[in-house]
Amino acid sequence: MSTRRDAVRQALTESTGFRSAQDLYADLRADGSKIGLTTVYRALQALSDSGQVDVLRTDDGEAVYRACDTESHHHHLVCRVCSTAVEIEGPAVERWAVEMGAKHGFTGVTHTLEVFGTCARCS
Amino acid sequence: MSTRRDAVRQALTESTGFRSAQDLYADLRADGSKIGLTTVYRALQALSDSGQVDVLRTDDGEAVYRACDTESHHHHLVCRVCSTAVEIEGPAVERWAVEMGAKHGFTGVTHTLEVFGTCARCS
DNA sequence: TCACATTTTGACAATCATTTTCGTTTTCGC
DNA sequence: GCGAAAACGAAAATGATTGTCAAAATGTGA
């Protein structure tokens, strides 16, 4: 609906990597948009709530977002230099996580898994 | 060396779960210590730098720490209610992560993996 | 034990990402 | 076109974490 939210989604889609709210805000302003920082945060919140973008936290706690090709469960192989990411899947890991949970009496098991490295271009 | 750092390590060791710096500060003060918040942060920084405690980020970006039994690479099964954690290992996952990285031309591959659920006691 | 250098500490201020607040502007249904 | 509801944005508020700096603790050699 909202043009603003679309602008944020668009900006995110143009990148293959994870971007922070501040990054996106800077990009949009640089492109001439009059968007406010608050709106960027609101858009990202909405987009992640609806599962349209993936979120993860950098080591220093900053939230970074990515518009992924698929909305189904997957993980990422992220370049620690340029933050470019590749979507990856690991069926075996999914099973392992659930098994581990069951083994220790945990219910409602979920997991977070991200793989980091330096991509070919950045090496 | 430092009594203060030991106090922080001690406070952390008394818990099986992950605790935030603010939590530990509150605990220590409640126990009558005159320790300052800055010192708690410094102690945790030093302890994590030396690999004596594990750190992870909550969904809202807060850093939480845990004194683990082993300093070797491992993951955690964390209760999302009481934050109690169990150390777990997954050799297959380690291999999978490296393979995935190699497959896409990434070097220096590392990964983060945490499993969440509700522990038996909290169910 | 004493004088001095070094390290540790803690109160307080400063950062910085993120959230709230709140008045204004747009968008929509009718 | 008209009023309610949703979206905006600027500025203030939050809250965790870090930086500053002077005081206190500790170590060292004479």
Side-chain angles (χ1 to χ4, degrees), chain A residues 7-41:
Chain A
V8 172
R9 194 206 323 261
Q10 172 76 31
L12 205 49
T13 302
E14 286 168 1
S15 168
T16 58
F18 280 87
R19 317 293 310 283
S20 71
Q22 308 276 348
D23 284 346
L24 291 168
Y25 172 67
D27 288 353
L28 289 163
R29 297 292 289 204
D31 280 348
S33 169
K34 299 295 186 220
I35 196 169
L37 183 54
T38 306
T39 304
V40 174
Y41 275 103

Side-chain angles (χ1 to χ4, degrees), chain B residues 56-117:
Chain B
L56 60 84
R57 296 265 171 189
T58 62
D59 283 339
D60 58 324
E62 191 178 19
V64 286
Y65 306 80
R66 181 174 195 273
C68 290
D69 296 337
T70 171
E71 285 193 19
S72 62
H73 182 74
H74 62 271
H75 302 286
H76 303 97
L77 175 55
V78 187
C79 174
R80 64 169 69 84
V81 177
C82 67
S83 88
T84 281
V86 177
E87 291 164 47
I88 56 181
E89 291 187 12
V93 178
E94 313 297 324
R95 287 193 295 277
W96 172 83
V98 174
E99 279 166 24
M100 273 297 166
K103 178 175 167 185
H104 292 278
F106 280 57
T107 55
V109 175
T110 59
H111 62 277
T112 62
L113 166 58
E114 308 301 334
V115 183
F116 299 93

Side-chain angles (χ1 to χ4, degrees), chain B residues 2 4 36 38-39 42:
Chain B
S2 149
R4 293 308 199 192
T38 306
T39 304
R42 270 191 293 238

Side-chain angles (χ1 to χ4, degrees), chain A:
Chain A
M1 320 306 156
S2 148
T3 301
R4 294 308 199 193
R5 180 173 310 175
D6 282 338
V8 172
R9 194 206 323 261
Q10 172 76 31
L12 205 49
T13 302
E14 286 168 1
S15 168
T16 58
F18 280 87
R19 317 293 310 283
S20 71
Q22 308 276 348
D23 284 346
L24 291 168
Y25 172 67
D27 288 353
L28 289 163
R29 297 292 289 204
D31 280 348
S33 169
K34 299 295 186 220
I35 196 169
L37 183 54
T38 306
T39 304
V40 174
Y41 275 103
R42 270 191 292 238
L44 290 171
Q45 183 71 58
L47 289 169
S48 77
D49 282 352
S50 67
Q52 295 177 72
V53 306
D54 284 0
V55 195
L56 61 83
R57 297 265 170 189
T58 62
D59 283 341
D60 59 324
E62 191 179 19
V64 287
Y65 305 80
R66 181 173 194 276
C68 291
D69 295 337
T70 170
E71 286 192 19
S72 62
H73 182 74
H74 63 271
H75 301 286
H76 303 97
L77 174 55
V78 187
C79 174
R80 65 168 70 81
V81 177
C82 67
S83 88
T84 281
V86 177
E87 292 164 47
I88 55 181
E89 292 188 14
V93 179
E94 312 297 323
R95 288 192 295 276
W96 172 83
V98 173
E99 277 166 26
M100 273 298 166
K103 177 175 167 184
H104 292 278
F106 281 57
T107 54
V109 175
T110 61
H111 62 277
T112 63
L113 166 58
E114 308 300 334
V115 183
F116 299 93
T118 303
C119 75
R121 184 193 311 208
C122 291
S123 283

